[in-house]
Amino acid sequence: MMLQRKNRLRALSLGAVAVSGALALTACGSDDTGKKSSDNSSSSTSASSIKCDNAKGQLLADGSSAQKNAIDAWVKEFSQACGVQINYKGGGSGAGVTAFNQGQIAFAGSDSALKPEEVTASKKVCSGGQGIDLPMVGGPIALGYNVPGVDSLVLDAPTLAKIFDSKIKNWNDAAIKKLNPGAKLPNLKIQAFHRSDESGTTDNFTKYLIATTPDNWKYSGGKAWQAKGGQAAPQSAGVAQQVKQTAGAIGYFELSYVTDGMKAVSINTGASKPVAPSTDSATADIAAAKVIGTGKDLSLQLDYKTKAEGAYPLTLVTYEIVCDKGNKADTLPATKAFLRYIASEDGQKVLSGIDYAPVPDDIIAKVRTTIEGLS
């Protein structure tokens, strides 16, 4: 199943690259996962139902690198149907929010909801309105690792906190042995990689540690990495590449970046069995999320402390950030058409095939209604 998903992801990535001359997908070089194939089976089904309306021209967007593979897949379908040029840079959630609030892009992707001060800043570019959060992509944050001879690894929140805070330094540490009694753990130094750029993935990962093991993770959290030690790399693809090529490495990134040469950690949540990251286990957690945004904002509160059977606790939701009112007239039709497609049943179906989790039905229904009211 995982191999089929990766082959499909390679196909979608190849399709996005194939039209890059027209679409100017500038981020492919910096955030490419190298997943390529020739499978193009989903193209005709979803493209045929896309409503282009008056969409035309070019859209500039930036933000979450966690959703980059999903955006590439969606762009391929949408651009074939509507001919709109889309450039999604994927420079990280922090870069996306900054660019949006400077009026440089039509929409941003962020793995963290807008902060109050960011909403205030957005009012300068959203004439008569403000930036809002539309949850569009769900998925697990995988802990990818590269430890020779260890094909299965279980960790819990306290151990993860100590690893990423440089308190546990070797893979044969007693705490790791206790969680993995049958594994042959080597006397190998742990190389813990984190994001060097401001990242919603970092924000969600540290929120998980703060919620589940505050005694072992005493940092305030946020998009910028705060713990001492470790090694840094830019964007999800950069961290994944470092883990893949470094013996003893571990890092955090969206599941679709777990490629050949690394495995993913299963998390001991207190349920009867450790939970591995998957679209199903992430969906089980996201389904319990609550909408806490006000007005047209649909930001969510996730349950990082879940002990439900089969629910993976380390999940994120990527929001597309757009003005509720005051979007630029020249980009509004294309923005609405693209968001309408990715929130549609066909658009959401794309996600489960490439290691992302569709947004639960009741929440995505609210997203669709909100998109139709954008002005």
Side-chain angles (χ1 to χ4, degrees):
M1 180 63 69
M2 182 62 74
L3 180 59
Q4 292 174 344
R5 286 177 175 170
K6 293 187 184 304
N7 284 339
R8 187 175 178 188
L9 178 54
R10 292 186 182 104
L12 294 167
S13 297
L14 185 69
V17 172
V19 296
S20 62
L23 303 181
L25 290 173
T26 59
C28 290
S30 63
D31 213 21
D32 183 22
T33 59
K35 303 175 183 179
K36 298 178 174 65
S37 182
S38 58
D39 180 10
N40 198 27
S41 59
S42 67
S43 196
S44 60
T45 55
S46 57
S48 64
S49 63
I50 295 174
K51 297 179 181 179
C52 301
D53 291 342
N54 297 315
K56 60 183 179 180
Q58 179 176 346
L59 289 182
L60 301 179
D62 195 2
S64 165
S65 64
Q67 72 165 357
K68 180 67 169 57
N69 292 325
I71 289 287
D72 283 354
W74 282 330
V75 163
K76 171 180 176 289
E77 302 289 352
F78 181 77
S79 296
Q80 285 180 346
C82 301
V84 175
Q85 299 177 7
I86 299 180
N87 177 344
Y88 183 79
K89 189 176 180 181
S93 298
V97 172
T98 297
F100 179 79
N101 281 341
Q102 292 177 347
Q104 298 174 357
I105 55 178
F107 69 91
S110 178
D111 306 318
S112 299
L114 291 169
K115 297 178 180 178
E117 60 269 25
E118 292 170 337
V119 173
T120 299
S122 73
K123 295 179 180 180
K124 296 179 181 179
V125 296
C126 300
S127 179
Q130 65 179 49
I132 57 172
D133 301 287
L134 301 178
M136 204 71 74
V137 183
I141 301 174
L143 281 307
Y145 70 95
N146 177 2
V147 182
V150 181
D151 294 329
S152 177
L153 184 68
V154 175
L155 297 174
D156 58 12
T159 306
L160 283 167
K162 292 173 184 177
I163 286 173
F164 281 90
D165 200 22
S166 301
K167 300 291 178 59
I168 292 179
K169 301 179 183 296
N170 275 59
W171 282 110
N172 63 347
D173 186 273
I176 302 177
K177 283 184 175 181
K178 185 176 180 179
L179 291 165
N180 300 272
K184 295 181 179 180
L185 297 166
N187 183 16
L188 179 66
K189 182 180 178 181
I190 295 174
Q191 307 282 354
F193 283 89
H194 58 265
R195 290 281 290 271
S196 60
D197 54 322
E198 288 201 355
S199 161
T201 310
T202 295
D203 189 18
N204 282 274
F205 178 45
T206 54
K207 280 179 179 176
Y208 162 74
L209 295 176
I210 292 168
T212 55
T213 184
D215 289 345
N216 294 299
W217 194 262
K218 297 184 179 297
Y219 304 97
S220 61
K223 294 177 183 176
W225 185 257
Q226 296 172 325
K228 307 299 181 183
Q231 301 185 58
Q235 303 165 354
S236 293
V239 175
Q241 182 61 32
Q242 290 299 318
V243 172
K244 182 177 180 179
Q245 66 188 23
T246 306
I250 186 171
Y252 57 90
F253 31 78
E254 202 278 328
L255 181 60
S256 68
Y257 290 94
V258 178
T259 59
D260 296 338
M262 70 176 94
K263 306 287 184 180
V265 170
S266 293
I267 297 181
N268 182 344
T269 64
S272 63
K273 296 180 180 179
V275 185
S278 69
T279 56
D280 289 342
S281 62
T283 298
D285 183 56
I286 296 172
K290 298 179 181 179
V291 176
I292 58 172
T294 58
K296 294 183 178 181
D297 186 90
L298 296 173
S299 56
L300 303 176
Q301 183 178 63
L302 299 172
D303 183 8
Y304 297 107
K305 300 171 71 173
T306 182
K307 294 182 180 180
E309 298 296 330
Y312 186 77
L314 187 45
T315 58
L316 61 75
V317 170
T318 301
Y319 302 96
E320 311 311 331
I321 295 170
V322 67
C323 297
D324 58 354
K325 298 178 182 178
N327 291 280
K328 294 179 180 179
D330 57 341
T331 60
L332 178 59
T335 300
K336 286 184 70 171
F338 182 64
L339 294 179
R340 181 186 296 121
Y341 161 58
I342 67 179
S344 72
E345 183 177 350
D346 283 333
Q348 290 289 298
K349 281 181 180 178
V350 171
L351 296 177
S352 58
I354 52 175
D355 291 329
Y356 291 93
V359 175
D361 290 343
D362 59 335
I363 297 175
I364 203 66
K366 295 177 182 178
V367 171
R368 293 167 186 155
T369 299
T370 302
I371 290 170
E372 296 307 319
L374 299 178
S375 62

